[in-house]
Amino acid sequence: MEYDPYTVALHGDDHFTELPDVAPALRPSTTFEYEEGGRTYLRMSHETTERLEAVLGALEGGDAVAYPSGMAAVAAVLRHVRPRRIALPDDVYHGVSAFVSSEAERGSWTVTTADELQAGDVWWIETPSNPKCLITDLEATAVDALSRGVITVADATFATPVLQDTLGAGVDFVIHATTKFIAGHSDAMGGVAAVRDGDLAAQLRGSRTTDGAIPGTLESWLTLRGIRTLPLRVARQSETARQVAAFLSNTTSRVWYPGLESHPGYEVAQRQMARSGVPMFGGVLSFEVDSPERAAAVVERLRVFTNATSLGGVESLAEHRLRVDPAAPPGLIRLSVGLESPDALIEDLEQALLR
Ligand code: PLP
């Protein structure tokens, strides 16, 4: 059977059904009465997070370890690997570059270029990247890294496991901010790191216990609830984003969306973002207007898109990226396309851009 995220998102945790409830029970207890082989304390493990990890692992094709935020997953993986050098891509989520540089200032590692990496170092990948949706060829990077003993970590938050088989491409660690598409409703923060090797996942879980970095019950429950509809949402958001990108490319000079033939990553994305058979390019895109003042005014004028940071939720968001990301082009507006009708979103952009 081919990759079937629709069924896996609903049944990847079926083996947990101790109770007759069809929906997972919400059980907030932090401690459990001692019993042989039973759970003891929430910081070590609890059922809702285990269920979430079962679904995430099945979707990803690996063993998934959940964290309370995307950045907590980033920090946990880098802390586990303890590289001497790290190479970051040119376009990368600003929180990751801030974390990597502040740790470099404290002597934890050196930031360098991919060519300089040696055995045990980390090659950080983010594909599609935030905010320009640049595409890295995962297979080619993994082959190059493997030949030098370099460890690859890929942030696939924009792609989700539904569109892209990141571990299958040979990458060592995949991470997602589940806060975004995976939870999908802008109401639950979380992160996940997934690997192919169960022993490595067990080591990550061990450190997570000592670090106290397990997600709370409610967040795991909300994420699990959101994940049931992930494949549906991602398919619709990708199709709407494609229509929005096509509209914008007739109206503005520079649009960053890997589903547009004009995008530098289009060819690779066609192959790499087709996990379920059909290429889909995700629900995030960016475009540039000619000045930061105009970008700020455009996002203010939008009525259907909310002027807010974050992405991947059911409601569409627009952000003048310079507000939070000093490396973003000054006139760049990032859009996260939700589940509204494509016509409503395009009309909204039209009225905001025409004035
Ligand atoms: N990775 C990417 C690509 C992101 O866009 C974000 C947040 O925007 C993160 C990681 C961090 O996730 P969180 O905010 O859940 O810590």
Side-chain angles (χ1 to χ4, degrees):
M1 171 104 194
E2 282 183 2
Y3 182 63
D4 177 10
Y6 290 93
T7 307
V8 169
L10 289 159
H11 295 289
D13 58 338
D14 274 357
H15 51 292
F16 280 90
T17 43
E18 302 159 10
L19 303 168
D21 310 36
V22 172
L26 184 55
R27 294 161 65 187
S29 187
T30 53
T31 187
F32 309 96
E33 191 173 346
Y34 279 118
E35 62 181 39
E36 206 47 48
R39 298 183 185 88
T40 55
Y41 188 53
L42 191 93
R43 177 154 51 75
M44 285 148 196
S45 181
H46 57 97
E47 183 180 295
T48 323
T49 296
E50 287 173 24
R51 290 186 77 142
L52 173 63
E53 291 179 343
V55 180
L56 284 168
L59 279 174
E60 198 69 67
D63 200 334
V65 185
Y67 291 92
S69 69
M71 283 312 299
V74 169
V77 167
L78 287 177
R79 188 175 145 164
H80 178 85
V81 179
R82 295 167 60 88
R84 291 183 58 203
R85 295 172 209 81
I86 303 186
L88 290 181
D90 291 341
D91 193 51
V92 64
Y93 171 54
H94 71 95
V96 169
S97 68
F99 173 70
V100 167
S101 346
S102 78
E103 285 296 314
E105 277 163 28
R106 300 177 61 218
S108 304
W109 46 61
T110 311
V111 182
T112 187
T113 59
D115 293 348
E116 302 287 321
L117 295 173
Q118 296 174 24
D121 292 342
V122 162
W123 191 335
W124 194 269
I125 304 163
E126 188 177 289
T127 187
S129 68
N130 186 354
K132 286 192 193 160
C133 303
L134 299 183
I135 302 296
T136 301
D137 186 328
L138 290 168
E139 264 174 33
T141 308
V143 166
D144 183 354
L146 190 64
S147 72
R148 293 188 269 153
V150 169
I151 294 157
T152 41
V153 185
D155 183 339
T157 297
F158 278 29
T160 81
V162 172
L163 303 187
Q164 182 173 287
D165 183 5
T166 308
L167 288 179
V171 164
D172 297 306
F173 294 81
V174 56
I175 70 129
H176 302 272
T178 60
T179 315
K180 315 297 175 184
F181 289 98
I182 290 178
H185 294 73
S186 309
D187 57 8
M189 183 153 272
V192 63
V195 290
R196 285 182 297 268
D197 173 16
D199 289 343
L200 179 53
Q203 287 171 34
L204 289 171
R205 282 193 191 96
S207 307
R208 183 183 65 180
T209 296
T210 51
D211 291 351
I214 198 164
T217 313
L218 180 61
E219 279 70 22
S220 286
W221 189 87
L222 284 167
T223 306
L224 193 53
R225 181 186 165 124
I227 214 170
R228 307 299 193 196
T229 54
L230 173 70
L232 271 175
R233 287 185 281 107
V234 165
R236 165 138 178 134
Q237 285 165 294
S238 296
E239 172 50 24
T240 307
R242 193 191 59 72
Q243 293 183 36
V244 169
F247 160 75
L248 286 170
S249 58
N250 291 327
T251 318
T252 55
S253 58
R254 187 163 252 185
V255 183
W256 298 101
Y257 187 63
L260 290 177
E261 277 181 47
S262 55
H263 188 278
Y266 176 74
E267 297 295 331
V268 177
Q270 282 270 341
R271 160 170 56 81
Q272 190 164 277
M273 299 181 76
R275 190 171 189 179
S276 305
V278 186
M280 287 187 269
F281 305 95
V284 181
L285 66 142
S286 294
F287 66 101
E288 291 179 45
V289 294
D290 47 23
S291 70
E293 294 74 26
R294 179 153 163 74
V298 168
V299 294
E300 276 292 318
R301 283 199 289 263
L302 289 165
R303 293 287 165 260
V304 182
F305 285 89
T306 301
N307 178 8
T309 197
S310 203
L311 57 104
V314 290
E315 57 295 288
S316 293
L317 306 179
E319 183 182 34
H320 178 207
R321 200 58 189 157
L322 196 60
R323 270 185 105 118
V324 292
D325 181 357
L332 185 137
I333 296 172
R334 190 187 70 190
L335 300 179
S336 173
V337 168
L339 297 181
E340 301 90 344
S341 74
D343 288 351
L345 297 175
I346 289 169
E347 271 169 34
D348 195 28
L349 286 162
E350 206 163 23
Q351 65 78 21
L353 283 164
L354 281 180
R355 275 198 266 162

